[in-house]
Structures are given as structure tokens and as C-alpha cells.
């Protein structure tokens, strides 16, 4: 069975250790801008939410890529073939959650690749807000419900 990253915003302390672990895993440097996970914080509400690619079943990023540079790996992650990618940023625009980004320093499109099945963000999260578990039906439903709720919250905040 496929494993997925599961987020528990109520456990997130906003420490951003996941961002540092991710950037170090992928770039051997502590640079949150290069991280494939980002922690969004609403200080007025006292809420921090770790966000990364949701590895959608019907991924918009895959649909809009004009050169077919994004595909699903054996771990279930949507990965970018850097040799095919033309950096058009259509995938960045298409992601409804903003979880595919462009790193100007490296000139690459970045998105969570699940660290080939051993996510660094999970290993180093001190509060257990990010976990990697089997995609049981209940877990998938919880993730989709949270994503819908988060989308509504983002729309409220941006208005």
C-alpha cells in the first residue's frame, strides 16, 4: 500500500525544523527558500500549518506540463525530471495549494518528492506534526477534508 505524508496542524509549533531538514536533505544547506515544505503561520490566530505537495491523484501540475516532465514515482510522489523540465513554471501556476515552487537561486522547480520514501521533515519534526503513514481510507479522507478547509481559510485571509 502507498504511504502518504500526514499533517497535524494542531501539533505544529511553528519551529520550521521541517523546512531546514528538507533544504539540507536536497541542497546540503540550511535555506528554507529551497525547502519543499513551508510552514504558514497566522500569528493573530496562533496557528502554524506545515504545507507540502499533496501528491494529488489527478495532479494539475502533471496535466499542464507541456513536456511531460512530471510523473509519479514508485513512492507515489510526483517528481520532476530536471532534464526534461523547461522551467516554464506552468506547474507552479497550476498547483491549487501553491506547493510547487520555483527556486530562483538554483533555477529549479521544486516540489516534495517524499525523499525517496524516507522524508527528512518527518524524521526531524520535534512535535510529530508531520508523519509518513499508510494511506488508509480514513487518513486520505482526513487529508482531503483538511486541504478543503485550508483552501477556504486561505481565501478568507487573502480577502
Amino acid at each position: 500500500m502507498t504511504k502518504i505524508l500526514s499533517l497535524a496542524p494542531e501539533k505544529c509549533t511553528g519551529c520550521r525544523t521541517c523546512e531546514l531538514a528538507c533544504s539540507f536533505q536536497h541542497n546540503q544547506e540550511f535555506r528554507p527558500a529551497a525547502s519543499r515544505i513551508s510552514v504558514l503561520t497566522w500569528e493573530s490566530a496562533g496557528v502554524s500549518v506545515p504545507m507540502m505537495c499533496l501528491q494529488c491523484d489527478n495532479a494539475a501540475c502533471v496535466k499542464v506540463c507541456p513536456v511531460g516532465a512530471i510523473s509519479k514515482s514508485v513512492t507515489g510522489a510526483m517528481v520532476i525530471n530536471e532534464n526534461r523540465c523547461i522551467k516554464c513554471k506552468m506547474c507552479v501556476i497550476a498547483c491549487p495549494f501553491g506547493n510547487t515552487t520555483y527556486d530562483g537561486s538554483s533555477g529549479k522547480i521544486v516540489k516534495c518528492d517524499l525523499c525517496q520514501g524516507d522524508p527528512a521533515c518527518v524524521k526531524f519534526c520535534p512535535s510529530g506534526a508531520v508523519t509518513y503513514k499508510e494511506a488508509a481510507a480514513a487518513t486520505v479522507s482526513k487529508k482531503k477534508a483538511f486541504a478543503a478547509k485550508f483552501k477556504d481559510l486561505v481565501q478568507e485571509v487573502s480577502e
Side-chain angles (χ1 to χ4, degrees):
M1 181 171 244
T2 303
K3 292 179 97 175
I4 61 171
L5 285 171
S6 182
L7 309 172
E10 67 279 3
K11 292 182 179 179
C12 183
T13 63
C15 70
R16 301 185 184 278
T17 301
C18 55
E19 292 177 346
L20 296 174
C22 179
S23 67
F24 192 78
Q25 174 76 21
H26 289 91
N27 300 81
Q28 290 68 55
E29 63 181 329
F30 295 110
R31 188 169 57 91
S35 177
R36 278 100 170 126
I37 185 170
S38 53
V39 177
L40 304 178
T41 301
W42 287 271
E43 290 183 22
S44 61
V47 176
S48 294
V49 181
M51 292 297 299
M52 80 283 292
C53 179
L54 298 176
Q55 312 301 345
C56 304
D57 289 334
N58 194 12
C61 59
V62 173
K63 287 181 180 178
V64 300
C65 182
V67 295
I70 305 172
S71 61
K72 188 173 271 203
S73 74
V74 294
T75 62
M78 296 298 172
V79 294
I80 300 169
N81 179 333
E82 292 179 14
N83 294 324
R84 292 190 80 174
C85 181
I86 59 173
K87 282 73 167 177
C88 67
K89 303 176 193 78
M90 290 298 293
C91 55
V92 173
I93 295 166
C95 180
F97 303 103
N99 294 330
T100 301
T101 59
Y102 177 75
D103 177 21
S105 294
S106 68
K108 295 179 181 178
I109 303 293
V110 295
K111 64 192 283 72
C112 177
D113 61 4
L114 299 175
C115 295
Q116 290 73 49
D118 190 20
C121 57
V122 172
K123 288 193 287 190
F124 293 98
C125 180
S127 64
V130 184
T131 55
Y132 191 52
K133 47 174 115 171
E134 294 295 327
T139 305
V140 172
S141 296
K142 179 182 174 186
K143 190 173 181 179
K144 287 180 180 178
F146 172 72
K149 185 185 285 187
F150 182 72
K151 184 177 177 184
D152 293 342
L153 177 64
V154 168
Q155 287 175 342
E156 276 181 35
V157 171
S158 64
E159 292 176 349

